Amino acid sequence: MKHEPVSGSPCPFPARQYRRAAVVGAGSWGTALAATLARAGVRTCIWGRNSGAVDNINRYHENADYLPGVDLPPALRAARRLSDALAGAEVILIVVPSRSVRSVARQVAEHAAPGVPVAICAKGIEAETGLLMTQVAEEELGHRPIGCVSGPTFARETALGHPTAATVAFPFTYADRLRPDESPAARLAVSLTTESFRAYVSDDLIGVEIGGAVKNVIAIACGMMTGAGFAENTRAALITRGLDEMKVLTEALGGRRETVTGLSGIGDLSLTCSSTTSRNMALGQQLGEGVPRDCCFDGRPVVVEGEFNARSVTDLARRLGVSMPICETVRDILHEGADLGMAFASLWARPIEAEPRAMDVAFSHPASDQDITTLAERIS
């Protein structure tokens, strides 16, 4: 039986795929996105600094360094030179750690054709400036459409073709409102969409990006408490109140609360806080178990975005006068030398507040110093 759509109306003009795409960054997520584009029928070239990874993708259709055992589409090709990867690209995805977005965007600007849309697939806030990743890219890339891709995705599952959904966000111009099918958001969304990958479209870059940055910090908090021996009650509380911190920061910057309750907000938050497949959750859990930071991940130099975001997110929040106690707690532990047990015990002993915030009431917490010390000892 044919099912009629229950909401929304199909655009009278179906959005067109981009014919050629370039993915800048051959890590796990860059490779997964490149594979998705190629499976959707888009001619895709991926660039990476690791020449061995480039050769493996071209010869064996595998990125053994980041996605071992995952078969990549034979049509996907890799380039050693950035200029070769960008040649002829109609859309560009930058998929590098947040700390590298500025320098990589500057390189892309040298080779990309004018007017080509660029989607940033890194999550974070630049420490020195407080800028979101798309704002960093705008400063380096000039007059090009700049957007982002974000959502609840683990790279390996995406590359294996597990059913996955994500958000593609770009600003919508007046022309885009008149012909949404021609907008960069719509065209990239259909370029990524396959039988297993479903893309949604947004015009709220602030909401999408804040969700992606803050969830990493909350995931570290969840990992810390899990490593300390606590279970589902604790994690549910941190996720829920962490979502509230996302909403408040998003609104303060001019984004929409609705966005934070979608894929790029609560979706990404719940995924990242639920599995040690997330490096943020994994780092927190090891720290909660008492593993020294330099011994985490068996001493390997693993980049954990939330570790840097803990400082940049709270710096931005302080500048805006926004209260983010969970993120502040993670910052204190990671960067200020705070004791993990006492920091979380103090978080739990904050004044009693109302839900919703509109009630605007608070009461002193009845716990004594002795009570806090007892909880701190349990956490430690």
Side-chain angles (χ1 to χ4, degrees), residues 15 18 76 131 155 229 331 350 370:
Y18 289 113
L76 174 63
L131 295 177
R331 175 187 179 139
R350 293 176 67 252
Q370 180 60 46

Side-chain angles (χ1 to χ4, degrees), residues 2-66:
K2 182 178 179 180
H3 293 276
E4 296 298 326
V6 295
S7 64
S9 299
C11 180
F13 307 102
R16 296 177 296 118
Q17 280 189 331
Y18 289 113
R19 292 170 297 179
R20 301 185 66 167
V23 175
V24 180
S28 56
W29 185 222
T31 303
L33 284 171
T36 301
L37 286 162
R39 289 181 183 131
V42 179
R43 292 181 60 187
T44 305
C45 185
I46 186 170
W47 170 84
R49 291 191 176 95
N50 187 323
S51 59
V54 168
D55 291 341
N56 280 333
I57 291 171
N58 287 330
R59 292 181 183 179
Y60 307 111
H61 312 302
E62 180 188 17
N63 188 338
D65 289 338
Y66 291 97

